Amino acid sequence: MNRIDQTFETLKLHNKTALIPYLTVGDPDPETTLDIIAELESSGADIIELGVPYSDPLADGPVIQRASERALKNKVTIRTCMDIALKARERGSQLPFILFTYYNPVLQMGLDTFFEEVLKHDISGLIIPDLPVEESTEIRKRAAAAGVHLIPLVAPTSHERIATILSEATGFVYCVSSLGVTGERTDFYSGVEAFLETVKEYSRVPIAIGFGISTGEQVARFSKICDGVVVGSAIVRTIESNIPLLEREETRSQGLSQIGQFVAQLKGAKLALDR
């Protein structure tokens, strides 16, 4: 069974919601990313999105854009990101990994090679935000054959397309909480709860929400109605603010600990609600 399916099944048995951190691989460097993955796992993360740094993102706000710039200076590629997933697994990580990438790096690698590498590196899911459902048939077929989930994104503006987008969804559905790019927010789309209920009506798989979620209170709010909550920019910003500590050997563990504490706080808010 795919690790994503196992995770959601286990959490459902215990009436819990998945906490899904996003991080940009290679920020501030690949070795530190490995340490951060271990820290996230020990702090309560359930699934991890591994972001492939990209020079021309469509959906990323300024925090993740800066992280991509730092990673690209380290010459991090989609292959680097896959290698990080495998190295984390070799270190003992059991979490499902989702590769978050724009379509161009996939296309440049070639679909045959791409899916061979995805399997070889034990990646459980894919999110490709600039690949519309109408153009995803070939990748969906290949993902299904490989036992890998191509996770669809659905936004409040999707309206009549929701049924089409979700008709062949596997793994889970990524619901976009707000219009615009990623980034921490205090306010969300005003009809977000109704939007999530609509998605539930059409979805045969768990639903998760992301874009802008950055506090324990927000995680708790959406844990009431979703199977998973994605936190991206707030974690990437926490990594960014701790780079001075992470870059020095004598303070590295302190920087990692602060990242872990932030994730543990998010998890703590969610666990309090679960109980």
Side-chain angles (χ1 to χ4, degrees):
M1 180 185 290
N2 186 292
R3 288 178 188 263
I4 293 172
D5 299 328
Q6 288 179 325
T7 296
F8 277 110
E9 283 192 10
T10 300
L11 290 170
K12 185 176 182 179
L13 285 173
H14 296 90
N15 195 32
K16 296 184 183 299
T17 308
L19 180 63
I20 309 173
Y22 166 99
L23 55 86
T24 301
V25 175
D27 176 38
D29 60 76
E31 187 63 29
T32 302
T33 295
L34 278 169
D35 291 337
I36 291 171
I37 290 171
E39 189 71 29
L40 296 180
E41 185 161 6
S42 66
S43 299
D46 297 296
I47 298 170
I48 294 181
E49 289 184 20
L50 300 176
V52 177
Y54 194 60
S55 57
D56 300 295
L58 297 176
D60 296 335
V63 172
I64 295 177
Q65 286 183 31
R66 290 196 301 270
S68 286
E69 289 170 3
R70 291 189 292 269
L72 289 170
K73 286 180 181 178
N74 291 323
K75 303 187 185 305
V76 172
T77 68
I78 191 169
R79 288 184 179 273
T80 311
C81 298
M82 291 183 180
D83 288 342
I84 289 293
L86 186 59
K87 288 177 180 176
R89 194 71 73 218
E90 290 169 349
R91 286 189 177 190
S93 177
Q94 298 298 312
L95 295 185
F97 293 130
I98 297 171
L99 194 69
F100 187 111
T101 179
Y102 290 91
Y103 186 57
N104 192 51
V106 177
L107 191 62
Q108 287 187 333
M109 183 178 285
L111 295 185
D112 290 340
T113 301
F114 175 73
F115 279 101
E116 286 173 5
E117 295 299 309
V118 163
L119 283 175
K120 188 186 300 181
H121 292 80
D122 200 4
I123 291 166
S124 300
L126 307 170
I127 296 176
I128 307 177
D130 60 342
L131 182 65
V133 64
E134 293 83 0
E135 299 175 24
S136 66
T137 301
E138 181 63 24
I139 283 200
R140 278 192 284 108
K141 286 181 180 177
R142 289 174 180 260
V148 175
H149 292 314
L150 178 63
I151 296 158
L153 278 81
V154 61
T157 53
S158 298
H159 301 306
E160 68 278 359
R161 296 178 70 244
I162 290 177
T164 301
I165 293 170
L166 302 191
S167 61
E168 298 188 54
T170 65
F172 65 92
V173 177
Y174 190 131
C175 301
V176 177
S177 69
S178 309
L179 307 180
V181 298
T182 61
E184 298 166 71
R185 289 179 171 84
T186 55
D187 297 312
F188 299 92
Y189 168 66
S190 59
V192 64
E193 276 87 2
F195 160 62
L196 292 171
E197 290 300 330
T198 299
V199 174
K200 281 184 179 180
E201 290 177 12
Y202 288 101
S203 182
R204 298 167 298 176
V205 296
I207 72 167
I209 189 166
F211 276 54
I213 298 168
S214 58
T215 68
E217 291 78 9
Q218 292 168 350
V219 170
R221 170 187 173 183
F222 289 113
S223 290
K224 296 176 183 178
I225 47 179
C226 294
D227 304 292
V229 180
V230 180
V231 181
S233 292
I235 289 173
V236 175
R237 177 186 51 77
T238 303
I239 293 169
E240 181 179 54
S241 66
N242 280 284
I243 287 176
L245 296 176
L246 295 169
E247 289 179 335
R248 299 172 57 196
E249 191 61 38
E250 60 269 28
T251 57
R252 186 178 181 82
S253 61
Q254 181 185 349
L256 290 168
S257 178
Q258 290 192 24
I259 296 165
Q261 286 172 19
F262 177 67
V263 172
Q265 288 170 3
L266 298 175
K267 183 75 173 184
K270 187 177 71 63
L271 286 175
L273 180 73
D274 290 336
R275 288 195 292 271

